[in-house]
Amino acid sequence: MSELQDLTALIRANTPLIVIETQDEARVVDLFRQALSQVWRALYRWSITEGLRRLDMDREDEAEGPPDASAALQMMKQAEQRGIYLLLDFHPYLGYASSQRQLRDIVQRRHSLPHVVVLVGSKIELPAELDALAVRFSPRLPDANALLKLVREEAAHYADEHGGRRVEVDGEAVQQIVRNLQGLSLTDARRIARQLIFADGALNANDLPQLARLKFELLNRSGHLHYEYDTAQFAEVAGARRLKRWIEQRRNVFVAGDASPDPYRYQLDPPKGMLLLGVQGCGKSMLAKATAGGFGVPLLRLDFGTLYDKYHGETEKNLRAALASAEQLAPCVLWIDEIEKGLASGGEDGGVSRRVLGYLLTWMAERRSAAASGHVFIVATANQVHELPAELLRKGRFDEIFFVDLPDPDTRVEVLRLHLARRQLPADDFNLPALAAAANGFSGAEIEQAIVSALYTAHAERTPLDTDLLMQEIRNTRPLSVLMAEQVGALRQWARERTVPAD
């Protein structure tokens, strides 16, 4: 059934109390006006600034009652014909016992006609006595056609305000903009579309990063997600050839979804995510950033530490809010860094970790049949695999579990070349094979730190960095694979038969 049909059915059933949470009051009023064409009722709107006004006749400019909440309820009770009463931001007045009692009498039809009372507001919390009598109705978010119409309207407004100058439009970019506006109300989508158009009089691929930021700022009301402005490209990451190829194979299916022209797309499940295990400092975080860059979508980071709350149930509520925000920001990559710290098994926290794990697993499973959240790709990273719950590692939770190992000789050469280039140092001036051999057992982060330390030594000695200085720094460094040889060895042994090598 359509949104209008659902609402009409509630009116026909004389539903006594309907609660609608929305920021778009105008759209709700318009929806009820449309419903009157199928089921007639007198239609009224009340607000504290305008009082009670009738909307189904050409008399909207005439107030039929004072703005006082109690007086409005009394008029509703004494009305001689049944009607629909849209009460805007009325719920704060239900804190008064008299107003609450008056509304309960109307809803329970005590000496009152069978009215349909509709409470409209951005967030409505009712007293328990009224909440049990209420039906909540959620207006559906605009579809792609409605959003495309909206973008065209704003483009026309731009032309009107700029002497007929037309907006420069890239058709493919507009399709992506419309796809990224999905999940927003018409009001929010219009605000963002107008900002993009009026910024430079154009709609093109350059608008997509700005759209992602604006949408994130609008939807991340919980504050538990972090927008990572600096993503990376796979060219900036050494090694991980198998993982890069795996991502590239799934790129078009993830980004385009049902809009993809590929005739075989319906045979392919949308990619859900991957778990990256590995030795510390081997590039898991960089790979998470590069995955977002490879897909060409925003990167959101979920910090489990911000979710935990001392009050019962609040932690799970925070997780629900964060995941709901991620769904509305789709398509995106959701990066859960060091996931073991938030889901480590144990009973010291009163079972909070187990409940958080349970909700996360349920959400991951339900995404298979949810088109919107199917475009949230999870990248979870972990260092301590033995602290991860077994339920998370079961086949099917993630599409794949990759192990990011210590770099091999060829990858170490690539790491050296990348970090030297970032510091405007010509890699050809160094004996990279010899340096890579000396750095056996080093992680990528340790190789980078050796270059940083060698540069400080060169600066102190007023001499350019060369192979000898860098070699000396490498030989003076004890990598993690030596300092914690047993733990690193155990992790690599565990991963050998249980995971897919990233390289």
Side-chain angles (χ1 to χ4, degrees), residues 409-450:
D410 290 339
T411 303
R412 292 197 294 275
V413 169
E414 194 177 348
V415 170
L416 285 162
R417 190 180 299 277
L418 283 170
H419 287 298
L420 289 170
R422 286 175 190 168
R423 293 160 178 83
Q424 288 79 49
L425 295 170
D428 293 339
D429 293 349
F430 295 83
N431 187 344
L432 297 185
L435 292 169
N440 184 34
F442 279 54
S443 67
E446 289 165 338
I447 292 174
E448 180 183 16
Q449 192 55 45

mmCIF file of all heavy atoms in Angstrom, residues 409-450:
data_model
loop_
_atom_site.group_PDB
_atom_site.id
_atom_site.type_symbol
_atom_site.label_atom_id
_atom_site.label_comp_id
_atom_site.label_asym_id
_atom_site.label_seq_id
_atom_site.Cartn_x
_atom_site.Cartn_y
_atom_site.Cartn_z
ATOM 1 N N PRO A 409 59.838 -9.091 1.218
ATOM 2 C CA PRO A 409 60.890 -8.199 0.679
ATOM 3 C C PRO A 409 60.397 -7.230 -0.391
ATOM 4 O O PRO A 409 60.753 -6.045 -0.360
ATOM 5 C CB PRO A 409 61.924 -9.183 0.130
ATOM 6 C CG PRO A 409 61.758 -10.410 0.965
ATOM 7 C CD PRO A 409 60.287 -10.495 1.253
ATOM 8 N N ASP A 410 59.605 -7.715 -1.356
ATOM 9 C CA ASP A 410 59.119 -6.824 -2.415
ATOM 10 C C ASP A 410 58.222 -5.733 -1.843
ATOM 11 O O ASP A 410 58.282 -4.572 -2.276
ATOM 12 C CB ASP A 410 58.356 -7.631 -3.467
ATOM 13 C CG ASP A 410 59.261 -8.529 -4.286
ATOM 14 O OD1 ASP A 410 60.479 -8.244 -4.316
ATOM 15 O OD2 ASP A 410 58.761 -9.501 -4.880
ATOM 16 N N THR A 411 57.386 -6.092 -0.888
ATOM 17 C CA THR A 411 56.496 -5.101 -0.285
ATOM 18 C C THR A 411 57.285 -4.094 0.547
ATOM 19 O O THR A 411 56.964 -2.902 0.570
ATOM 20 C CB THR A 411 55.439 -5.792 0.596
ATOM 21 O OG1 THR A 411 54.710 -6.751 -0.194
ATOM 22 C CG2 THR A 411 54.464 -4.773 1.170
ATOM 23 N N ARG A 412 58.357 -4.557 1.212
ATOM 24 C CA ARG A 412 59.183 -3.624 1.987
ATOM 25 C C ARG A 412 59.849 -2.605 1.066
ATOM 26 O O ARG A 412 59.983 -1.424 1.420
ATOM 27 C CB ARG A 412 60.220 -4.392 2.817
ATOM 28 C CG ARG A 412 59.607 -5.211 3.944
ATOM 29 C CD ARG A 412 60.654 -5.598 4.978
ATOM 30 N NE ARG A 412 61.667 -6.509 4.484
ATOM 31 C CZ ARG A 412 61.553 -7.838 4.435
ATOM 32 N NH1 ARG A 412 60.439 -8.413 4.873
ATOM 33 N NH2 ARG A 412 62.538 -8.600 3.982
ATOM 34 N N VAL A 413 60.265 -3.026 -0.107
ATOM 35 C CA VAL A 413 60.816 -2.087 -1.096
ATOM 36 C C VAL A 413 59.759 -1.054 -1.477
ATOM 37 O O VAL A 413 60.030 0.153 -1.568
ATOM 38 C CB VAL A 413 61.320 -2.840 -2.344
ATOM 39 C CG1 VAL A 413 61.627 -1.856 -3.478
ATOM 40 C CG2 VAL A 413 62.558 -3.661 -2.015
ATOM 41 N N GLU A 414 58.542 -1.537 -1.691
ATOM 42 C CA GLU A 414 57.447 -0.637 -2.060
ATOM 43 C C GLU A 414 57.146 0.339 -0.931
ATOM 44 O O GLU A 414 56.891 1.524 -1.170
ATOM 45 C CB GLU A 414 56.204 -1.479 -2.394
ATOM 46 C CG GLU A 414 55.115 -0.722 -3.097
ATOM 47 C CD GLU A 414 53.939 -1.621 -3.470
ATOM 48 O OE1 GLU A 414 54.089 -2.872 -3.386
ATOM 49 O OE2 GLU A 414 52.879 -1.077 -3.818
ATOM 50 N N VAL A 415 57.170 -0.143 0.319
ATOM 51 C CA VAL A 415 56.926 0.734 1.475
ATOM 52 C C VAL A 415 58.002 1.810 1.548
ATOM 53 O O VAL A 415 57.704 3.002 1.760
ATOM 54 C CB VAL A 415 56.896 -0.097 2.781
ATOM 55 C CG1 VAL A 415 56.884 0.830 3.992
ATOM 56 C CG2 VAL A 415 55.684 -1.012 2.807
ATOM 57 N N LEU A 416 59.261 1.420 1.394
ATOM 58 C CA LEU A 416 60.351 2.392 1.423
ATOM 59 C C LEU A 416 60.180 3.439 0.329
ATOM 60 O O LEU A 416 60.329 4.650 0.564
ATOM 61 C CB LEU A 416 61.694 1.671 1.246
ATOM 62 C CG LEU A 416 62.215 0.904 2.466
ATOM 63 C CD1 LEU A 416 63.284 -0.103 2.052
ATOM 64 C CD2 LEU A 416 62.773 1.876 3.502
ATOM 65 N N ARG A 417 59.811 2.993 -0.859
ATOM 66 C CA ARG A 417 59.654 3.907 -1.980
ATOM 67 C C ARG A 417 58.525 4.915 -1.706
ATOM 68 O O ARG A 417 58.662 6.117 -1.961
ATOM 69 C CB ARG A 417 59.369 3.107 -3.254
ATOM 70 C CG ARG A 417 59.417 3.936 -4.537
ATOM 71 C CD ARG A 417 59.112 3.057 -5.750
ATOM 72 N NE ARG A 417 60.089 1.989 -5.891
ATOM 73 C CZ ARG A 417 61.277 2.140 -6.489
ATOM 74 N NH1 ARG A 417 61.619 3.327 -6.961
ATOM 75 N NH2 ARG A 417 62.101 1.125 -6.591
ATOM 76 N N LEU A 418 57.401 4.433 -1.163
ATOM 77 C CA LEU A 418 56.265 5.305 -0.885
ATOM 78 C C LEU A 418 56.605 6.363 0.166
ATOM 79 O O LEU A 418 56.307 7.553 -0.009
ATOM 80 C CB LEU A 418 55.067 4.475 -0.414
ATOM 81 C CG LEU A 418 54.277 3.711 -1.482
ATOM 82 C CD1 LEU A 418 53.279 2.755 -0.819
ATOM 83 C CD2 LEU A 418 53.552 4.676 -2.401
ATOM 84 N N HIS A 419 57.256 5.944 1.257
ATOM 85 C CA HIS A 419 57.526 6.890 2.337
ATOM 86 C C HIS A 419 58.649 7.867 1.979
ATOM 87 O O HIS A 419 58.633 9.017 2.442
ATOM 88 C CB HIS A 419 57.856 6.139 3.626
ATOM 89 C CG HIS A 419 56.658 5.497 4.249
ATOM 90 N ND1 HIS A 419 55.566 6.226 4.693
ATOM 91 C CD2 HIS A 419 56.355 4.191 4.487
ATOM 92 C CE1 HIS A 419 54.658 5.410 5.189
ATOM 93 N NE2 HIS A 419 55.101 4.158 5.074
ATOM 94 N N LEU A 420 59.574 7.438 1.177
ATOM 95 C CA LEU A 420 60.601 8.375 0.710
ATOM 96 C C LEU A 420 59.982 9.412 -0.232
ATOM 97 O O LEU A 420 60.298 10.605 -0.159
ATOM 98 C CB LEU A 420 61.724 7.613 0.002
ATOM 99 C CG LEU A 420 62.636 6.768 0.905
ATOM 100 C CD1 LEU A 420 63.550 5.875 0.063
ATOM 101 C CD2 LEU A 420 63.467 7.657 1.841
ATOM 102 N N ALA A 421 59.078 8.955 -1.105
ATOM 103 C CA ALA A 421 58.430 9.867 -2.053
ATOM 104 C C ALA A 421 57.579 10.904 -1.326
ATOM 105 O O ALA A 421 57.509 12.065 -1.746
ATOM 106 C CB ALA A 421 57.577 9.074 -3.036
ATOM 107 N N ARG A 422 56.916 10.497 -0.225
ATOM 108 C CA ARG A 422 56.091 11.445 0.526
ATOM 109 C C ARG A 422 56.938 12.567 1.136
ATOM 110 O O ARG A 422 56.428 13.630 1.452
ATOM 111 C CB ARG A 422 55.346 10.714 1.638
ATOM 112 C CG ARG A 422 54.185 9.872 1.128
ATOM 113 C CD ARG A 422 53.557 9.067 2.234
ATOM 114 N NE ARG A 422 52.613 8.086 1.687
ATOM 115 C CZ ARG A 422 52.077 7.097 2.395
ATOM 116 N NH1 ARG A 422 52.418 6.949 3.667
ATOM 117 N NH2 ARG A 422 51.231 6.256 1.832
ATOM 118 N N ARG A 423 58.233 12.323 1.289
ATOM 119 C CA ARG A 423 59.118 13.333 1.876
ATOM 120 C C ARG A 423 60.039 13.941 0.823
ATOM 121 O O ARG A 423 61.085 14.499 1.137
ATOM 122 C CB ARG A 423 59.923 12.701 3.015
ATOM 123 C CG ARG A 423 59.027 12.328 4.190
ATOM 124 C CD ARG A 423 59.638 11.304 5.115
ATOM 125 N NE ARG A 423 58.737 11.036 6.233
ATOM 126 C CZ ARG A 423 57.703 10.185 6.191
ATOM 127 N NH1 ARG A 423 57.453 9.510 5.065
ATOM 128 N NH2 ARG A 423 56.924 10.013 7.238
ATOM 129 N N GLN A 424 59.601 13.834 -0.452
ATOM 130 C CA GLN A 424 60.338 14.402 -1.587
ATOM 131 C C GLN A 424 61.793 13.934 -1.637
ATOM 132 O O GLN A 424 62.707 14.699 -1.969
ATOM 133 C CB GLN A 424 60.294 15.940 -1.556
ATOM 134 C CG GLN A 424 58.950 16.553 -1.903
ATOM 135 C CD GLN A 424 57.966 16.507 -0.754
ATOM 136 O OE1 GLN A 424 58.310 16.885 0.354
ATOM 137 N NE2 GLN A 424 56.747 16.044 -1.021
ATOM 138 N N LEU A 425 62.000 12.661 -1.297
ATOM 139 C CA LEU A 425 63.338 12.069 -1.372
ATOM 140 C C LEU A 425 63.374 11.094 -2.550
ATOM 141 O O LEU A 425 62.547 10.177 -2.611
ATOM 142 C CB LEU A 425 63.684 11.334 -0.075
ATOM 143 C CG LEU A 425 63.806 12.215 1.178
ATOM 144 C CD1 LEU A 425 63.910 11.336 2.426
ATOM 145 C CD2 LEU A 425 65.022 13.128 1.066
ATOM 146 N N PRO A 426 64.288 11.264 -3.517
ATOM 147 C CA PRO A 426 64.339 10.365 -4.680
ATOM 148 C C PRO A 426 64.712 8.935 -4.262
ATOM 149 O O PRO A 426 65.804 8.694 -3.730
ATOM 150 C CB PRO A 426 65.419 10.970 -5.577
ATOM 151 C CG PRO A 426 65.800 12.274 -4.965
ATOM 152 C CD PRO A 426 65.321 12.286 -3.557
ATOM 153 N N ALA A 427 63.798 8.011 -4.497
ATOM 154 C CA ALA A 427 64.036 6.624 -4.078
ATOM 155 C C ALA A 427 65.226 6.010 -4.795
ATOM 156 O O ALA A 427 65.910 5.125 -4.259
ATOM 157 C CB ALA A 427 62.784 5.790 -4.337
ATOM 158 N N ASP A 428 65.526 6.489 -6.015
ATOM 159 C CA ASP A 428 66.637 5.911 -6.777
ATOM 160 C C ASP A 428 67.988 6.239 -6.162
ATOM 161 O O ASP A 428 69.011 5.630 -6.542
ATOM 162 C CB ASP A 428 66.591 6.424 -8.223
ATOM 163 C CG ASP A 428 65.368 5.903 -8.973
ATOM 164 O OD1 ASP A 428 64.811 4.877 -8.528
ATOM 165 O OD2 ASP A 428 64.983 6.524 -9.977
ATOM 166 N N ASP A 429 68.012 7.180 -5.223
ATOM 167 C CA ASP A 429 69.279 7.513 -4.557
ATOM 168 C C ASP A 429 69.613 6.549 -3.427
ATOM 169 O O ASP A 429 70.666 6.692 -2.785
ATOM 170 C CB ASP A 429 69.224 8.945 -3.996
ATOM 171 C CG ASP A 429 69.167 9.998 -5.098
ATOM 172 O OD1 ASP A 429 69.384 9.629 -6.272
ATOM 173 O OD2 ASP A 429 68.897 11.169 -4.785
ATOM 174 N N PHE A 430 68.725 5.606 -3.160
ATOM 175 C CA PHE A 430 68.921 4.675 -2.041
ATOM 176 C C PHE A 430 69.007 3.242 -2.560
ATOM 177 O O PHE A 430 68.410 2.898 -3.588
ATOM 178 C CB PHE A 430 67.754 4.785 -1.055
ATOM 179 C CG PHE A 430 67.657 6.109 -0.362
ATOM 180 C CD1 PHE A 430 67.032 7.185 -0.989
ATOM 181 C CD2 PHE A 430 68.176 6.300 0.901
ATOM 182 C CE1 PHE A 430 66.933 8.418 -0.369
ATOM 183 C CE2 PHE A 430 68.080 7.528 1.540
ATOM 184 C CZ PHE A 430 67.455 8.592 0.905
ATOM 185 N N ASN A 431 69.716 2.411 -1.820
ATOM 186 C CA ASN A 431 69.813 0.987 -2.146
ATOM 187 C C ASN A 431 68.623 0.281 -1.488
ATOM 188 O O ASN A 431 68.733 -0.260 -0.372
ATOM 189 C CB ASN A 431 71.143 0.419 -1.633
ATOM 190 C CG ASN A 431 71.370 -1.009 -2.093
ATOM 191 O OD1 ASN A 431 70.441 -1.688 -2.534
ATOM 192 N ND2 ASN A 431 72.610 -1.463 -1.978
ATOM 193 N N LEU A 432 67.500 0.329 -2.173
ATOM 194 C CA LEU A 432 66.266 -0.174 -1.571
ATOM 195 C C LEU A 432 66.304 -1.672 -1.272
ATOM 196 O O LEU A 432 65.832 -2.100 -0.211
ATOM 197 C CB LEU A 432 65.068 0.166 -2.470
ATOM 198 C CG LEU A 432 64.788 1.660 -2.678
ATOM 199 C CD1 LEU A 432 63.508 1.846 -3.493
ATOM 200 C CD2 LEU A 432 64.661 2.383 -1.344
ATOM 201 N N PRO A 433 66.821 -2.524 -2.173
ATOM 202 C CA PRO A 433 66.877 -3.958 -1.844
ATOM 203 C C PRO A 433 67.662 -4.244 -0.569
ATOM 204 O O PRO A 433 67.266 -5.088 0.246
ATOM 205 C CB PRO A 433 67.532 -4.581 -3.076
ATOM 206 C CG PRO A 433 67.204 -3.636 -4.192
ATOM 207 C CD PRO A 433 67.254 -2.283 -3.573
ATOM 208 N N ALA A 434 68.795 -3.540 -0.377
ATOM 209 C CA ALA A 434 69.602 -3.775 0.831
ATOM 210 C C ALA A 434 68.863 -3.306 2.076
ATOM 211 O O ALA A 434 68.885 -3.975 3.127
ATOM 212 C CB ALA A 434 70.942 -3.051 0.701
ATOM 213 N N LEU A 435 68.223 -2.143 1.980
ATOM 214 C CA LEU A 435 67.463 -1.630 3.113
ATOM 215 C C LEU A 435 66.295 -2.552 3.445
ATOM 216 O O LEU A 435 65.996 -2.808 4.621
ATOM 217 C CB LEU A 435 66.950 -0.217 2.803
ATOM 218 C CG LEU A 435 68.022 0.878 2.700
ATOM 219 C CD1 LEU A 435 67.413 2.158 2.127
ATOM 220 C CD2 LEU A 435 68.633 1.141 4.077
ATOM 221 N N ALA A 436 65.623 -3.069 2.408
ATOM 222 C CA ALA A 436 64.486 -3.970 2.626
ATOM 223 C C ALA A 436 64.955 -5.262 3.292
ATOM 224 O O ALA A 436 64.270 -5.807 4.177
ATOM 225 C CB ALA A 436 63.789 -4.271 1.302
ATOM 226 N N ALA A 437 66.113 -5.751 2.900
ATOM 227 C CA ALA A 437 66.650 -6.975 3.516
ATOM 228 C C ALA A 437 66.985 -6.736 4.983
ATOM 229 O O ALA A 437 66.730 -7.588 5.852
ATOM 230 C CB ALA A 437 67.874 -7.446 2.750
ATOM 231 N N ALA A 438 67.544 -5.568 5.281
ATOM 232 C CA ALA A 438 67.889 -5.255 6.668
ATOM 233 C C ALA A 438 66.639 -5.069 7.529
ATOM 234 O O ALA A 438 66.678 -5.296 8.746
ATOM 235 C CB ALA A 438 68.738 -3.984 6.714
ATOM 236 N N ALA A 439 65.524 -4.670 6.892
ATOM 237 C CA ALA A 439 64.278 -4.424 7.624
ATOM 238 C C ALA A 439 63.404 -5.667 7.703
ATOM 239 O O ALA A 439 62.186 -5.558 7.909
ATOM 240 C CB ALA A 439 63.507 -3.281 6.970
ATOM 241 N N ASN A 440 63.972 -6.823 7.570
ATOM 242 C CA ASN A 440 63.213 -8.068 7.681
ATOM 243 C C ASN A 440 62.543 -8.152 9.062
ATOM 244 O O ASN A 440 63.193 -7.955 10.090
ATOM 245 C CB ASN A 440 64.137 -9.270 7.484
ATOM 246 C CG ASN A 440 63.376 -10.576 7.507
ATOM 247 O OD1 ASN A 440 62.240 -10.638 7.057
ATOM 248 N ND2 ASN A 440 64.006 -11.617 8.036
ATOM 249 N N GLY A 441 61.240 -8.412 9.084
ATOM 250 C CA GLY A 441 60.499 -8.474 10.340
ATOM 251 C C GLY A 441 59.893 -7.147 10.741
ATOM 252 O O GLY A 441 59.173 -7.073 11.741
ATOM 253 N N PHE A 442 60.148 -6.074 9.986
ATOM 254 C CA PHE A 442 59.575 -4.754 10.278
ATOM 255 C C PHE A 442 58.163 -4.649 9.701
ATOM 256 O O PHE A 442 57.869 -5.179 8.619
ATOM 257 C CB PHE A 442 60.427 -3.647 9.651
ATOM 258 C CG PHE A 442 61.654 -3.279 10.444
ATOM 259 C CD1 PHE A 442 62.582 -4.250 10.836
ATOM 260 C CD2 PHE A 442 61.897 -1.967 10.795
ATOM 261 C CE1 PHE A 442 63.711 -3.913 11.546
ATOM 262 C CE2 PHE A 442 63.033 -1.616 11.518
ATOM 263 C CZ PHE A 442 63.936 -2.593 11.897
ATOM 264 N N SER A 443 57.306 -3.955 10.403
ATOM 265 C CA SER A 443 55.998 -3.596 9.851
ATOM 266 C C SER A 443 56.155 -2.331 9.013
ATOM 267 O O SER A 443 57.193 -1.651 9.071
ATOM 268 C CB SER A 443 54.994 -3.344 10.975
ATOM 269 O OG SER A 443 55.355 -2.174 11.712
ATOM 270 N N GLY A 444 55.138 -1.978 8.255
ATOM 271 C CA GLY A 444 55.186 -0.757 7.464
ATOM 272 C C GLY A 444 55.374 0.468 8.335
ATOM 273 O O GLY A 444 56.122 1.396 7.983
ATOM 274 N N ALA A 445 54.698 0.505 9.493
ATOM 275 C CA ALA A 445 54.819 1.645 10.399
ATOM 276 C C ALA A 445 56.233 1.761 10.948
ATOM 277 O O ALA A 445 56.754 2.872 11.149
ATOM 278 C CB ALA A 445 53.812 1.506 11.537
ATOM 279 N N GLU A 446 56.861 0.618 11.204
ATOM 280 C CA GLU A 446 58.240 0.649 11.743
ATOM 281 C C GLU A 446 59.229 1.110 10.688
ATOM 282 O O GLU A 446 60.204 1.812 11.007
ATOM 283 C CB GLU A 446 58.597 -0.736 12.286
ATOM 284 C CG GLU A 446 57.841 -1.065 13.568
ATOM 285 C CD GLU A 446 57.886 -2.545 13.940
ATOM 286 O OE1 GLU A 446 58.130 -3.381 13.032
ATOM 287 O OE2 GLU A 446 57.675 -2.863 15.119
ATOM 288 N N ILE A 447 58.995 0.751 9.432
ATOM 289 C CA ILE A 447 59.859 1.240 8.352
ATOM 290 C C ILE A 447 59.719 2.753 8.221
ATOM 291 O O ILE A 447 60.714 3.478 8.089
ATOM 292 C CB ILE A 447 59.519 0.531 7.028
ATOM 293 C CG1 ILE A 447 59.904 -0.953 7.096
ATOM 294 C CG2 ILE A 447 60.213 1.207 5.858
ATOM 295 C CD1 ILE A 447 59.472 -1.759 5.892
ATOM 296 N N GLU A 448 58.489 3.233 8.277
ATOM 297 C CA GLU A 448 58.273 4.680 8.199
ATOM 298 C C GLU A 448 58.968 5.401 9.356
ATOM 299 O O GLU A 448 59.605 6.444 9.159
ATOM 300 C CB GLU A 448 56.779 4.997 8.215
ATOM 301 C CG GLU A 448 56.490 6.496 8.129
ATOM 302 C CD GLU A 448 55.015 6.823 8.214
ATOM 303 O OE1 GLU A 448 54.232 5.946 8.650
ATOM 304 O OE2 GLU A 448 54.645 7.956 7.870
ATOM 305 N N GLN A 449 58.853 4.848 10.560
ATOM 306 C CA GLN A 449 59.467 5.492 11.717
ATOM 307 C C GLN A 449 60.990 5.487 11.611
ATOM 308 O O GLN A 449 61.659 6.430 12.062
ATOM 309 C CB GLN A 449 59.026 4.801 13.010
ATOM 310 C CG GLN A 449 59.372 5.566 14.269
ATOM 311 C CD GLN A 449 58.828 6.991 14.255
ATOM 312 O OE1 GLN A 449 57.673 7.215 13.896
ATOM 313 N NE2 GLN A 449 59.667 7.951 14.633
ATOM 314 N N ALA A 450 61.548 4.453 10.991
ATOM 315 C CA ALA A 450 62.996 4.418 10.789
ATOM 316 C C ALA A 450 63.424 5.556 9.864
ATOM 317 O O ALA A 450 64.467 6.202 10.090
ATOM 318 C CB ALA A 450 63.409 3.066 10.205
#
